[in-house]
Amino acid sequence: MFAYGSLFLAAFAAATFFPFQSEALLVGLLVADTYSVTLLLVVATAGNVLGSVVNWYMGRYIEKFRYKRWFPFKGDSLEKAQGHYHRWGRWSLLMSWAPFIGDPLTLIAGIMRERFWTFLWIVTIAKAGRYLVTALLTFGWINL
């Protein structure tokens, strides 16, 4: 049970703005061959999606602090990010799995008032896909 909880927390932290990776822990648990692969994938996905939901909620309310010194977007970068989101729309959330751009995308989706259920559906697909590919690569079922 500790392993699943640790994976959940690692995946949650990885989806927020903390510099954290959950894939290494997932791979370690997968190769240990002690845990259910399906349950590991579900737990990792749930934790990562929940972390993205936190970003979305922050985005819904953070823009009122736009002119504070600690605001995460400087200068015209918020307008730029909003422009990209307008250009690609909600489907840009399919990239929420990607390092460096995924977390800001989920925050921008909140700022842009993306509907929660649409956000949740697309982000869940993206995050589950990342962990599924990680598992497939771990077991050598995908050769790159």
Side-chain angles (χ1 to χ4, degrees):
M1 193 63 172
F2 177 77
Y4 294 113
S6 297
L7 180 60
F8 181 88
L9 291 175
F12 178 86
T16 62
F17 285 99
F18 295 110
F20 206 83
Q21 293 296 320
S22 57
E23 289 82 3
L25 179 57
L26 176 62
V27 168
L29 294 172
L30 287 169
V31 299
D33 201 26
T34 307
Y35 307 99
S36 162
V37 172
T38 303
L39 190 54
L40 287 173
L41 295 177
V42 168
V43 167
T45 300
N48 211 243
V49 169
L50 187 59
S52 293
V53 167
V54 168
N55 292 343
W56 181 86
Y57 270 109
M58 283 182 8
R60 297 281 293 188
Y61 302 103
I62 199 169
E63 193 173 9
K64 65 183 170 186
F65 301 109
R66 163 182 225 160
Y67 299 104
K68 300 289 184 183
R69 207 173 18 192
W70 53 264
F71 193 72
F73 296 99
K74 302 297 178 207
D76 65 340
S77 61
L78 179 60
E79 286 83 16
K80 236 170 118 172
Q82 288 173 319
H84 288 297
Y85 195 85
H86 274 301
R87 180 175 181 198
W88 299 104
R90 64 181 49 107
W91 300 111
S92 65
L93 290 170
L94 288 171
M95 293 301 295
S96 64
W97 65 268
F100 306 110
I101 65 168
D103 301 338
L105 270 174
T106 59
L107 184 78
I108 292 296
I111 291 172
M112 299 300 292
R113 303 280 192 239
E114 184 62 62
R115 289 186 351 207
F116 178 74
W117 294 110
T118 302
F119 168 86
L120 188 64
W121 175 249
I122 295 171
V123 168
T124 300
I125 290 168
K127 303 291 187 157
R130 172 182 63 190
Y131 288 119
L132 179 60
V133 168
T134 300
L136 293 173
L137 288 170
T138 299
F139 293 123
W141 294 335
I142 295 179
N143 295 314
L144 295 179

